[in-house]
Amino acid sequence: MPKCTIDGKQIEVAAGTTVIQAAELLGIHIPHFCWHPDLPVDGNCRMCLVEIEKMPKLQIACNTQVTDGMVVQTESPKAAEAHRTTLEFLLVNHPIDCPVCDQAGECYLQDNYMAHGLHESKVELEDKVRKRKVVDLGPIMLDAERCVLCSRCLRFEKEVTGTNSFEFVNRGDNTQISTFENRPITHEYAGNLADVCPVGALLSHDFRFKMRVWFLKSHESVCPGCSTGCNLFVDERDGEVQRLRPRRNPDVNKSWLCDPGRALYHAIGSQTRVTGARVKGAVWEGVSLADAAQRVAAALKEAAGASAFLASPQASNEDLFAFRALAEAAGGRLDFRVGSPEARLRERLDNVLQRADRNPNTQGCLDLGLGRDGVGAILAACAAGQLKALVLQGPELLRVPEAADALAKVPLVVVMATHEGPELERASVVLPAAVWAEAEGTFTNYQRRVQRFRGAVPPPGDARARWELAAAVLEAFGRPLGATSARELFVRVAAAHADYAGLDYRALAGSGRVLPGAGSGVAGSAQEARA
Amino acid sequence: MASATAMAIAPEVLARPAVRLLQEALGERLRAASDFRGDLAITVDRRAWVDAVRLLRDHPELAFEMFLDLCAADYLDVEGRPERFEVVLHLYSVSKKHHLRLKTPVPESDPRLATISHLFKGANWFEREAWDLYGVVFEGHPNLSRLLTHDAFVGHPLRKDYPQGQRHVLKSPKQMLLNVPAGSEHLLVNIGPSHPAMHGTFRVQALLDGETIVDGEAELGYMHRNFEKMAENRTYWQVIPYTDRLNYCSSFMNGHGWALAVEKLLGVPAPPRAEAVRVILSEFSRIMDHIVCIATNVVDLGAITPFFVMFRAREAVYDLLEACCGARLTVSYVRIGGLAQDVPEDFAARCQQALASCREAWQAGHELLTRNIIFCKRFRDVGVLSREDALSWGWAGSCLRGSGVAYDVRKDHPYSGYEQYDFDVPVGTLGDCYDRYLVRMEEISQSLRIVEQALAKLPGGPVITDDKRVALPPKAEVYSNIEALMNHFKLVYEGILPPPGEVYGYTEAANGELGYYIVSDGSKNPWRVKVRPPCYNNYQAFPQMIKGAMLADAVAIIGGLNVIAGELDR
Amino acid sequence: MAVSVVVVDRNLRPGVGPILKGFWVTFKNFVESAFLGKAATIQYPEQKRQVSSRYRGIHILTQREDGTPKCVACYMCATVCPAECIYIEAGERPEKTIEKYPTRFEIDLLRCVYCGFCVDACPEEAIIMSGENNLVGTSREELLIDRDRLMARSELVEHEAGYRPVDHDVRRPVRIAALERLRDEHGIVPGMPQGSGARRQR
């Protein structure tokens, strides 16, 4: 394994590591535009030039492999001069768009100018080459003047989605990035084009002019859209989520996020959120949470075992643990497999990220043993009139038209719901649930990787995390849960399940941990992770 | 940020007398010492705190007689700092003319530190404030109770985990400040807070025996807005309007002090023209402040005429400031690295007008007051404070000089080019109200001298540094090229990013040494800002000074201390 | 450098001379104010204080030549404002060289501290300040000024433009509607001396 010295710091790296990667490991940031950790190297921007001993000319750090004994200076006078002049060239035709460009605040040109530029301009505004602006490519907008020709978008289209939408047209200083006939991007990974673009040439249409990024606070979380469990950041300001953007995890989603996943943020602050508990009498009656919990607990006690519990693979491991505790306290039947999500757990929808199972925690349900009594059996019991109470952790069953008759025979149907919908009419008690961005907990993805998500914004009204709702009912039932935080619940999960035993809640932050060994359910492999 | 854990002390720092002597006395309990931007900072173990302070004060080679400032800082979740809090003491030696910063880490699990209020009288209120705002308990303190926040306040607001917008409402004020012995026949009165003689809002509860004050206790915090908490959530540029609202009678000087402190932290000086204009406007502000002090002081005694005639000079200075920056009172004229914009073309003429007006005001004040028999009888031999007491309380400025200590930051540690100008430092002999009045009057004359010289020598050139990481680019550039536009954007939304470290920047403000202790973690917001408010130290001595004096004398004394609530309470 | 210290002379003989001088000063001022018209008082509101062309008064949003706001909703002013009193929402403009404009631009004039940082931060000379300080309203809502009022500023008859950048963008000049109204309707050109004692001459 070659050892090298960068800016006086030593490091030993795997063979094949480039200087820029080795510098990242040391915490040294070498300025760059075209290099991206998850795209093939191009070496066209010439920004990452560094001085390497025994090499007379400066070398690009992104495409120079570390050799044993290599000594690198990233900011020697020669290298600093190179950074400055490279930046100057890149800025020659750059338009004065900062006030109207959304990239401000996360723009490589701005950041590199302050750190490596600080030069005076030598170009008159009138002499700059004009190119196409405000080109609507569907989910993203193109402004060709701002482009620095780094080809990241081109390489993304070639290597990741395989759609090859972009190409350089014209020559010399008239070179522009373009799609064929300005056709819009039609695949479901367009948002990543705005992310990889280091400047404001490609920008998200959804986020256009919404908010300046320096007002946003980022929270680490995990996407609940499917069983892949891509890592992301929830960016919010003053309790309102403004966008989702990918968080790099080389083993799960690299630096990518699908567009349907990005769009999930709209649902968080939606007007159709369930914000209070309600009970159906002659008409729906709004009640306090404590009141609703009382009624549910009373009904379960009365049912004396003639009850059933359907968990939801949308729920976190902590939610599931609390729900199972409720099922055991009530002595009722327990399952989660409405629509058989476990059958599609590892089935891919495309060759990038998405999976057919549109739930984040089917694996968690399997691991925690919630697939116990069978959904079919439970429905049969409903149809036969054997059940007095049915508690649903999510509205999945309410959306199945075939189950409507069976449900009508159950006197009390309790549902934990996040959003309003016509299906809630089939329930008799609605408990307001918080969505993933409003609570914290863990999901286990298709690889059996346990990943933590954190709350970013407060839930509306009386909405609470599902485990808190279950805890309220348990409290009223007389069998308190004995845990007051998601962390405490995770500790109980780890204690109750051998596979989860070695996991530390704090250590799960970042990129999560894959569960060891085989267990119930399907184990994922590292090959599955490659997007 | 500099960590409090043991680190190797550089040899040149080890050679400094304070470090050498402390190491000899404390050995292992001396944890660290460093010199950053010329500030000597020493960290000691908290069990050695009192010994270290006593050594610094009493050892003849060190002689740190003057107490400057004591504060705490919260380093919650900062890497390399096992203890959450740090108590920071600033001392000065008038005889040796050097400053020192002494620090000690205090853990969250046991947030206690021995008091030094028996070593320095001035430490009393500062320790109370550190307890109030941070929750550090000073053992042995005679009265560790809330000072700046009110009694219904919950929590310690300057802690990092205390939310910025959190408020607590006080429904009923504290009735009793003093312990009145049972069966006492003395009269208990509240002087203030809504009394015209209490300039600003402060309250003193006095126990009277006839006209004589037997005991007194002060209550502050009516104007406490927690400037220091605001500063932690603003960029260095955004703090400037907040500094205007400290001593609002001479607001330019606060901004001047802040800009100099940040420039010291950055290592980026302002150009000579900017410094000269700062000197001119600061001296005019000093004159304005002294006029307020003198004129309102005598209004309380019944002499209204000097107020009317002297305040005209303030109008002239206000007009000058308004012509320069567009505002009269809260000027926000300084920028880090210089000034917001150059002075107007008729600046020299306007200054001459202002000078003439100030001379008239001085003349009028002098003729009406200095030999006025009523004035002399009210002011002479009233409110005497000895030299030693003044230093122990941490007095500075005109009050300290009135007690005979010739310490003026402009002479002893010149900044902004003060070394180029000829001026004298007036001192008194007795330390009574009359001496303080005479010193202020003489300072007005000296300020006029300085302004004349600075005007005559006013250099040309830019008024803001050309360091692109600090100063906004000129607008003509911002409109016409991308580099300047990006520079502008980064400076606005990110701001100045100083290196990690801490400095104590100090100037001679109108009331005395105005200090800013700034701790930077390298980010755009300061980690900690502590204002060393000169009138806070001055006013702290007041309850002691009025014991045995008559009520009317108390009024005469307090005016002479020039307590401005904005600076006192921050 | 030599420290020159002077000890103040406290051994002056006090007398009643200054008291008599005080009577004289008062009498002199009385005569000057009552009969000679030399009072320092400005009779507000018939007379108003004359302010400089750098005065930091209530804000103005400037316009382009076609009357649309110059502002491109870049949020610089909202970011730098120490009082957090500016609220902006951005919208799309069809012109590809402009792209952005403020659909909402509101300043809470009661929160504002009139520091002028918004003017310093604006990269388009879109927001400047006027010489007006007449902040009067009968409700808090009235003093939350919105974009259209900021551009129109019909109250600006007697006051000029105040604090604004020294350099102007010659390629994209700004119009100040309020100043144009001054000129068109009242014949007042800022900078020229006014008639009728509307201002106090100094």
Side-chain angles (χ1 to χ4, degrees):
Chain A
M1 302 243 289
K3 271 206 220 41
C4 68
T5 310
I6 305 180
D7 289 349
K9 298 190 196 164
Q10 274 223 353
I11 189 170
E12 188 169 348
V13 293
T17 309
T18 56
V19 173
I20 201 171
Q21 288 169 326
E24 292 278 313
L25 289 171
L26 279 169
I28 298 173
H29 175 80
I30 298 180
H32 56 270
F33 287 93
C34 69
W35 178 72
H36 190 284
D38 295 316
L39 292 174
V41 173
D42 207 44
N44 63 55
C45 73
R46 318 310 288 183
M47 190 67 190
C48 63
L49 290 166
V50 292
E51 191 167 352
I52 304 182
E53 268 186 24
K54 301 206 199 97
M55 294 195 192
K57 296 186 87 117
L58 299 174
Q59 303 297 318
I60 49 172
C62 62
N63 211 9
T64 305
Q65 292 191 5
V66 172
T67 58
D68 201 35
M70 185 182 264
V71 179
V72 180
Q73 293 287 332
T74 64
E75 283 301 320
S76 70
K78 262 174 89 177
E81 177 71 23
H83 297 153
R84 192 169 47 250
T85 47
T86 304
L87 195 58
E88 198 175 339
F89 270 117
L90 287 170
L91 290 169
V92 160
N93 288 319
H94 201 81
I96 50 171
D97 273 1
C98 293
V100 300
C101 174
D102 282 331
Q103 195 78 8
E106 42 191 25
C107 173
Y108 282 45
L109 284 173
Q110 282 185 348
D111 297 340
N112 284 330
Y113 179 76
M114 290 309 283
H116 303 278
L118 293 178
H119 58 270
E120 305 270 339
S121 169
K122 296 191 186 105
V123 180
E124 291 294 320
L125 198 54
E126 293 77 27
D127 296 339
K128 290 194 187 238
V129 173
R130 308 308 305 270
K131 299 178 186 173
R132 297 166 306 140
K133 297 181 83 67
V134 195
V135 180
D136 190 339
L137 297 180
I140 49 169
M141 306 288 290
L142 166 67
D143 185 309
E145 279 185 351
R146 301 173 190 167
C147 175
V148 290
L149 308 173
C150 71
S151 75
R152 275 180 171 197
C153 53
L154 207 147
R155 283 176 277 145
F156 178 86
E157 288 279 325
K158 196 164 159 207
E159 300 291 328
V160 180
T161 56
T163 42
N164 287 302
S165 312
F166 283 102
E167 194 50 77
F168 285 121
V169 299
N170 297 342
R171 292 183 302 208
D173 64 0
N174 281 302
T175 311
Q176 290 191 37
I177 194 74
S178 185
T179 60
F180 183 67
E181 288 179 350
N182 286 336
R183 288 189 188 173
I185 306 293
T186 48
H187 59 69
E188 289 195 318
Y189 293 88
N192 300 301
L193 290 167
D195 287 336
V196 293
C197 182
V199 298
L202 292 174
L203 291 170
S204 158
H205 205 151
D206 176 79
F207 189 64
R208 188 167 169 79
F209 297 164
K210 225 155 86 133
M211 178 62 58
R212 283 304 200 180
V213 303
W214 53 80
F215 291 132
L216 297 174
K217 217 166 147 221
S218 294
H219 304 267
E220 296 185 354
S221 193
V222 173
C223 178
C226 74
S227 54
T228 307
C230 299
N231 292 185
L232 46 69
F233 284 110
V234 180
D235 287 345
E236 54 89 15
R237 182 185 187 190
D238 293 337
E240 231 182 277
V241 179
Q242 302 290 337
R243 67 174 183 183
L244 304 175
R245 63 188 168 92
R247 183 160 60 94
R248 182 159 193 261
N249 188 330
D251 302 312
V252 179
N253 60 311
K254 304 239 175 131
S255 305
W256 321 130
L257 204 58
C258 69
D259 291 344
R262 285 175 201 264
L264 287 175
Y265 85 90
H266 291 288
I268 300 170
S270 141
Q271 298 291 343
T272 59
R273 289 293 301 276
V274 178
T275 54
R278 58 177 188 265
V279 174
K280 192 190 263 181
V283 291
W284 280 105
E285 184 199 332
V287 296
S288 74
L289 254 187
D291 208 4
Q294 274 294 340
R295 296 195 203 204
V296 174
L300 287 175
K301 271 215 170 92
E302 218 195 291
S307 55
F309 292 80
L310 276 175
S312 168
Q314 293 280 325
S316 67
N317 293 321
E318 294 74 15
D319 294 335
L320 294 173
F321 186 86
F323 196 69
R324 193 181 69 188
L326 181 59
E328 281 164 5
R333 299 170 212 241
L334 176 64
D335 210 280
F336 78 95
R337 289 168 284 192
V338 178
S340 306
E342 76 284 9
R344 292 188 298 277
L345 179 59
R346 291 168 67 210
E347 183 191 320
R348 300 187 81 129
L349 281 183
D350 55 38
N351 61 352
V352 188
L353 287 179
Q354 297 185 75
R355 285 187 160 72
D357 177 13
R358 306 313 279 170
N359 298 297
N361 207 17
T362 304
Q363 184 66 52
C365 290
L366 291 167
D367 286 341
L368 266 59
L370 274 90
R372 196 179 69 182
D373 300 315
V375 177
I378 292 177
L379 271 177
C382 291
Q386 291 168 3
L387 293 180
K388 300 247 181 56
L390 180 64
V391 183
L392 305 170
Q393 205 180 27
E396 290 89 348
L397 190 62
L398 301 178
R399 296 194 188 121
V400 178
E402 295 78 28
D405 293 328
L407 282 173
K409 298 218 175 94
V410 183
L412 186 78
V413 177
V414 185
V415 65
M416 299 181 185
T418 56
H419 289 78
E420 297 290 351
E423 67 271 13
L424 294 184
E425 286 300 313
R426 299 203 183 128
S428 30
V429 177
V430 176
L431 299 175
V435 296
W436 58 283
E438 297 162 350
E440 75 168 277
T442 55
F443 290 138
T444 308
N445 78 347
Y446 76 99
Q447 301 167 334
R448 293 198 81 208
R449 178 181 295 269
V450 184
Q451 308 191 103
R452 256 185 78 182
F453 62 92
R454 293 173 202 264
V457 291
D462 280 345
R464 297 284 179 275
R466 289 185 176 90
W467 65 262
E468 285 184 77
L469 297 174
V473 178
L474 277 166
E475 184 78 34
F477 198 81
R479 296 268 289 273
L481 188 58
T484 49
S485 71
R487 208 185 103 250
E488 286 173 52
L489 280 171
F490 184 79
V491 171
R492 307 260 290 267
V493 168
H497 297 274
D499 287 338
Y500 284 69
L503 297 175
D504 175 62
Y505 193 66
R506 282 183 82 170
L508 288 176
S511 26
R513 292 281 186 279
V514 182
L515 294 176
S520 64
V522 282
S525 72
Q527 271 125 338
E528 299 292 317
R530 221 164 292 131
Chain B
M1 284 182 280
S3 154
T5 53
M7 51 188 208
I9 301 176
E12 64 272 12
V13 177
L14 206 51
R16 304 276 280 272
V19 184
R20 182 176 39 88
L21 288 164
L22 274 175
Q23 193 177 56
E24 282 167 25
L26 303 180
E28 286 258 308
R29 296 180 298 165
L30 174 71
R31 298 245 209 132
S34 64
D35 183 326
F36 179 70
R37 303 275 193 251
D39 284 357
L40 180 62
I42 302 175
T43 307
V44 298
D45 194 285
R46 64 177 169 140
R47 286 158 302 182
W49 181 244
V50 179
D51 293 332
V53 176
R54 189 176 290 118
L55 178 75
L56 290 170
R57 186 190 69 170
D58 296 338
H59 195 287
E61 232 184 289
L62 302 174
F64 284 100
E65 333 92 333
M66 183 171 168
F67 172 83
L68 281 180
D69 183 87
L70 183 143
C71 67
D74 183 358
Y75 292 99
L76 180 66
D77 292 338
V78 171
E79 253 185 66
R81 282 193 181 264
E83 297 97 347
R84 177 174 177 181
F85 299 110
E86 188 170 70
V87 173
V88 181
L89 172 69
H90 283 92
L91 295 174
Y92 182 68
S93 170
V94 177
S95 40
K96 308 262 182 253
K97 297 199 194 312
H98 51 197
H99 284 83
L100 180 81
R101 183 179 312 133
L102 188 72
K103 309 191 288 177
T104 184
V106 173
E108 182 177 4
S109 51
D110 179 32
R112 293 178 303 139
L113 184 66
T115 184
I116 55 165
S117 51
H118 55 292
L119 294 176
F120 285 107
K121 293 186 180 166
N124 190 315
W125 276 7
F126 286 84
E127 288 178 350
R128 271 178 79 179
E129 183 180 329
W131 183 82
D132 188 1
L133 299 176
Y134 281 96
V136 177
V137 175
F138 290 88
E139 297 179 309
H141 190 282
N143 176 21
L144 201 64
S145 55
R146 289 195 181 273
L147 185 62
L148 291 178
T149 57
H150 56 67
D151 296 295
F153 204 91
V154 176
H156 300 285
L158 267 178
R159 287 191 175 189
K160 288 288 177 183
D161 49 1
Y162 185 93
Q164 197 195 349
Q166 179 76 47
R167 296 193 173 169
H168 301 273
V169 178
L170 176 71
K171 294 270 168 64
S172 51
K174 190 170 172 181
Q175 296 283 357
M176 301 298 286
L177 301 175
L178 284 173
N179 284 328
V180 184
S184 164
E185 293 196 348
H186 297 313
L187 178 67
L188 190 71
V189 293
N190 278 323
I191 313 174
S194 312
H195 191 287
M198 307 305 258
H199 306 287
T201 38
F202 9 100
R203 172 184 174 203
V204 168
Q205 199 168 63
L207 197 61
L208 298 180
D209 175 13
E211 282 282 326
T212 311
I213 297 174
V214 170
D215 199 5
E217 185 61 45
E219 187 188 36
L220 325 169
Y222 287 87
M223 212 190 223
H224 179 64
R225 302 142 297 172
N226 215 333
F227 162 85
E228 294 163 5
K229 185 86 173 177
M230 306 295 277
E232 289 176 11
N233 290 289
R234 299 281 181 276
T235 63
Y236 291 87
W237 180 14
Q238 287 176 315
V239 173
I240 295 171
Y242 290 96
T243 62
D244 282 340
R245 285 140 175 91
L246 291 172
N247 183 339
Y248 35 74
C249 294
S250 51
S251 62
F252 183 84
M253 300 179 88
N254 308 316
H256 185 186
W258 172 255
L260 283 175
V262 181
E263 286 159 16
K264 180 177 177 181
L265 177 64
L266 290 169
V268 171
R273 183 177 173 83
E275 296 283 41
V277 172
R278 282 175 175 179
V279 165
I280 293 171
L281 296 179
S282 279
E283 291 306 315
F284 270 125
S285 301
R286 188 189 312 279
I287 296 171
M288 275 211 296
D289 201 301
H290 286 342
I291 289 176
V292 172
C293 174
I294 295 168
T296 56
N297 193 2
V298 295
V299 163
D300 296 337
L301 306 186
I304 320 275
T305 309
F307 175 90
F308 285 126
V309 295
M310 290 175 86
F311 262 57
R312 287 194 195 132
R314 299 194 79 228
E315 290 296 307
V317 180
Y318 274 160
D319 282 347
L320 170 67
L321 286 168
E322 197 267 318
C324 290
C325 67
R328 285 157 55 95
L329 184 69
T330 48
V331 291
S332 300
Y333 190 30
V334 289
R335 294 289 182 265
I336 313 297
L339 297 169
Q341 44 177 299
D342 207 342
V343 292
E345 277 163 16
D346 55 353
F347 181 67
R350 283 183 184 268
C351 282
Q352 294 298 344
Q353 277 180 334
L355 278 172
S357 199
C358 291
R359 279 191 202 102
E360 264 182 54
W362 186 93
Q363 191 62 30
H366 177 72
E367 284 177 2
L368 289 171
L369 292 173
T370 309
R371 297 171 112 134
N372 186 320
I373 188 165
I374 302 178
F375 178 75
C376 289
K377 280 192 185 290
R378 290 297 305 271
F379 265 45
R380 275 197 184 152
D381 302 318
V382 168
V384 176
L385 199 76
S386 72
R387 188 181 192 283
E388 293 68 33
D389 273 347
L391 289 169
S392 185
W393 281 112
W395 276 26
S398 314
C399 294
L400 179 66
R401 291 190 280 277
S403 293
V405 180
Y407 172 49
D408 186 325
V409 182
R410 298 172 293 169
K411 277 289 187 190
D412 295 326
H413 305 278
Y415 54 92
S416 292
Y418 270 106
E419 61 273 7
Q420 307 168 45
Y421 310 120
D422 279 326
F423 62 99
D424 301 324
V425 173
V427 293
T429 38
L430 189 57
D432 63 353
C433 290
Y434 192 59
D435 266 343
R436 291 192 276 275
Y437 158 79
L438 287 173
V439 164
R440 285 207 171 88
M441 287 297 276
E442 185 59 35
E443 276 180 20
I444 294 178
S445 312
Q446 296 301 325
S447 289
L448 293 167
R449 266 180 84 184
I450 297 173
V451 171
E452 282 163 10
Q453 292 171 63
L455 261 184
K457 289 187 184 171
L458 190 65
V463 288
I464 188 106
T465 179
D466 57 4
D467 190 329
K468 290 192 166 55
R469 297 161 302 171
V470 172
L472 283 182
K475 282 286 196 282
E477 297 290 310
V478 172
Y479 299 145
S480 60
N481 67 70
I482 182 66
E483 283 84 350
L485 184 58
M486 292 200 298
N487 190 0
H488 180 97
F489 257 66
K490 287 291 281 190
L491 282 174
V492 173
Y493 73 73
E494 201 169 65
I496 297 167
L497 300 172
E502 51 186 50
V503 292
Y504 176 66
Y506 50 98
T507 54
E508 183 74 28
N511 272 338
E513 177 169 326
L514 172 69
Y516 291 94
Y517 169 57
I518 306 176
V519 179
S520 155
D521 61 346
S523 76
K524 62 178 182 164
N525 301 331
W527 183 262
R528 171 79 169 109
V529 173
K530 171 70 171 69
V531 179
R532 190 259 176 208
C535 63
Y536 192 72
N537 299 55
N538 297 353
Y539 185 53
Q540 215 190 147
F542 181 65
Q544 293 295 317
M545 286 167 80
I546 56 174
K547 282 198 185 137
M550 295 212 272
L551 187 57
D553 290 335
V555 172
I557 296 169
I558 195 170
L561 296 180
N562 199 23
V563 191
I564 312 283
E567 187 181 82
L568 179 77
D569 293 337
R570 285 153 286 137
Chain C
M1 110 232 89
V3 177
S4 25
V5 175
V6 297
V7 179
V8 291
D9 183 7
R10 55 178 292 122
N11 298 314
L12 302 165
R13 210 170 54 103
V16 298
I19 301 176
L20 299 174
K21 168 87 187 180
F23 290 144
W24 170 247
V25 166
T26 309
F27 179 70
K28 192 159 84 86
N29 273 295
F30 170 70
V31 168
E32 281 178 358
S33 309
F35 304 115
L36 300 178
K38 286 213 276 186
T41 321
I42 299 177
Q43 299 294 335
Y44 187 89
E46 290 82 11
Q47 292 172 332
K48 295 225 171 66
R49 186 184 288 283
Q50 186 166 33
V51 295
S52 75
S53 59
R54 297 185 183 189
Y55 189 74
R56 305 201 303 248
I58 305 178
H59 317 74
I60 302 175
L61 273 184
T62 61
Q63 299 171 3
R64 299 168 193 272
E65 301 202 316
D66 60 2
T68 54
K70 186 81 172 58
C71 173
V72 289
C74 71
Y75 287 83
M76 287 286 101
C77 54
T79 305
V80 84
C81 177
E84 295 178 2
C85 69
I86 301 182
Y87 180 76
I88 303 173
E89 276 178 18
E92 181 106 32
R93 266 188 80 148
E95 298 90 335
K96 297 199 175 183
T97 45
I98 301 178
E99 279 187 66
K100 217 173 164 189
Y101 81 108
T103 51
R104 282 179 69 178
F105 189 108
E106 285 153 22
I107 300 181
D108 187 345
L109 290 176
L110 293 172
R111 265 186 91 112
C112 175
V113 296
Y114 302 91
C115 63
F117 286 2
C118 50
V119 177
D120 292 338
C122 181
E124 304 284 334
E125 204 183 351
I127 185 166
I128 62 175
M129 296 175 104
S130 66
E132 179 190 350
N133 55 12
N134 194 16
L135 190 67
V136 170
T138 51
S139 69
R140 282 185 183 272
E141 290 73 29
E142 216 179 295
L143 291 171
L144 184 76
I145 192 168
D146 63 20
R147 184 195 69 192
D148 297 323
R149 277 175 64 200
L150 276 167
M151 288 208 292
R153 297 300 309 285
S154 56
E155 316 87 63
L156 217 61
V157 174
E158 289 173 51
H159 307 274
E160 313 174 0
Y163 192 62
R164 59 191 294 202
V166 175
D167 300 318
H168 302 297
D169 187 350
V170 295
R171 290 184 194 84
R172 302 170 292 177
V174 301
R175 284 177 53 202
I176 302 166
L179 291 187
E180 293 190 343
R181 196 172 310 114
L182 258 178
R183 184 194 61 211
D184 299 336
E185 293 172 21
H186 302 271
I188 297 172
V189 177
M192 301 280 283
Q194 314 305 319
S196 73
R199 308 276 183 89
R200 174 166 176 76
Q201 295 305 312
R202 286 197 162 244

